[in-house]
């Protein structure tokens, strides 16, 4: 019994210390649900209970953050992103950030591989799977080559202080918005370095 009691304080200290070391990064570029990089919310600042689509009540409280998408346009809308959720969906080809701004160059999967949809399984006519029509799921190297060689890009800016998300934009729109927001000249994506 003495051994068991002496272990408890050690475990307690371990759990407390792990909790204190939680990262303070809010946005990170990490692998998303389809296996491609996304801009994801790591730490939220708000607790929010979202209603069920059928109006039957509310989901449990979740930690996350509100973002204004297409900030300053007629199409602006506020959107709640839960911790671990995607702010910019995949595939992020390049991303740079400071405490104030995050810049992203994205290769949109919908434009390259087609929209995510329910497809019939090729080996079982009675089954389906969720996938994209122009993806070679059996050959990973072909899929990666197709993504790498695609000339399709769009660009994004996130003002992290104001929680405003601008995008998708063409390269020219991106450069104009970057000047308008006074993003530091030193903060550049790879595509800007080639200019």
């Amino acid at each position: 019994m003495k051994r068991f009691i002496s272990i408890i304080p050690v475990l307690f200290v371990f759990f407390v210390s792990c909790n204190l070391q939680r990262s303070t990064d809010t946005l990170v570029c990490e692998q998303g649900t389809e296996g491609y990089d996304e801009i994801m919310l790591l730490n939220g600042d708000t607790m929010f209970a979202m209603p069920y689509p059928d109006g039957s009540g509310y989901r449990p409280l979740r930690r996350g953050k509100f973002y204004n998408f297409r900030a300053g346009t007629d199409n602006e809308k506020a959107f709640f992103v839960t911790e671990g959720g995607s702010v910019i969906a995949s595939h992020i080809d390049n991303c740079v950030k400071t405490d104030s701004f995050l810049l992203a160059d994205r290769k949109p999967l919908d434009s390259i591989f087609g929209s995510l949809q329910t497809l019939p399984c090729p080996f079982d006519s009675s089954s389906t799977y969720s996938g994209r029509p122009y993806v070679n799921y059996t050959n990973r190297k072909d899929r990666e080559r197709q993504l790498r060689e695609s000339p399709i890009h769009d660009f994004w800016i996130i003002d992290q202080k104001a929680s405003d998300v601008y995008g998708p934009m063409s390269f020219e729109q991106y450069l104009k918005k970057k000047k308008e927001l006074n993003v530091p000249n030193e903060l550049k994506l790879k595509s800007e370095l080639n200019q």
Side-chain angles (χ1 to χ4, degrees):
M1 187 68 174
K2 279 187 174 181
R3 286 184 191 162
F4 180 72
I5 293 172
S6 66
I7 292 174
I8 291 174
V10 173
L11 291 175
F12 179 75
V13 171
F14 173 73
F15 288 125
V16 170
S17 67
C18 286
N19 193 26
L20 293 175
Q21 293 179 5
R22 184 175 181 185
S23 174
T24 58
D25 276 354
T26 299
L27 296 176
V28 294
C29 184
E30 293 203 0
Q31 188 178 45
T33 56
E34 286 189 75
Y36 299 100
D37 288 345
E38 300 181 355
I39 302 299
M40 301 177 84
L41 178 66
L42 186 60
N43 292 315
D45 61 4
T46 305
M47 294 293 285
F48 185 69
M50 297 175 66
Y52 288 113
D54 64 3
S56 63
Y58 289 88
R59 294 182 171 111
L61 275 174
R62 298 283 308 268
R63 182 178 293 278
K65 187 170 183 162
F66 281 97
Y67 286 93
N68 303 310
F69 281 84
R70 294 186 173 203
T73 69
D74 293 338
N75 298 332
E76 180 178 329
K77 72 176 193 176
F79 193 80
F80 185 75
V81 177
T82 59
E83 284 185 350
S86 177
V87 179
I88 303 174
S90 54
H91 165 67
I92 304 300
D93 194 46
N94 180 229
C95 165
V96 294
K97 71 177 191 168
T98 63
D99 289 341
S100 299
F101 293 100
L102 182 141
L103 311 178
D105 175 356
R106 179 181 77 154
K107 289 192 171 190
L109 297 181
D110 285 355
S111 300
I112 298 167
F113 297 133
S115 298
L116 198 57
Q117 53 194 268
T118 302
L119 300 169
C121 286
F123 52 85
D124 179 5
S125 60
S126 64
S127 298
T128 60
Y129 69 98
S130 182
R132 297 179 182 276
Y134 310 119
V135 173
N136 183 344
Y137 287 100
T138 59
N139 190 328
R140 185 175 56 90
K141 288 185 179 183
D142 282 350
R143 184 174 65 237
E144 289 173 2
R145 181 188 46 75
Q146 185 179 356
L147 184 63
R148 185 178 57 253
E149 292 176 358
S150 173
I152 302 171
H153 290 260
D154 58 29
F155 297 88
W156 297 76
I157 300 173
I158 299 177
D159 180 337
Q160 296 190 90
K161 301 291 186 191
S163 300
D164 290 337
V165 180
Y166 302 91
M169 297 178 280
S170 69
F171 188 65
E172 293 76 24
Q173 291 170 325
Y174 160 79
L175 292 175
K176 182 179 176 185
K177 183 58 75 175
K178 193 175 167 188
K179 283 184 184 177
E180 185 182 307
L181 295 172
N182 294 320
V183 175
N185 288 333
E186 309 80 55
L187 192 63
K188 292 185 178 188
L189 293 166
K190 288 179 190 174
S191 52
E192 293 178 83
L193 300 175
N194 300 331
Q195 296 292 324

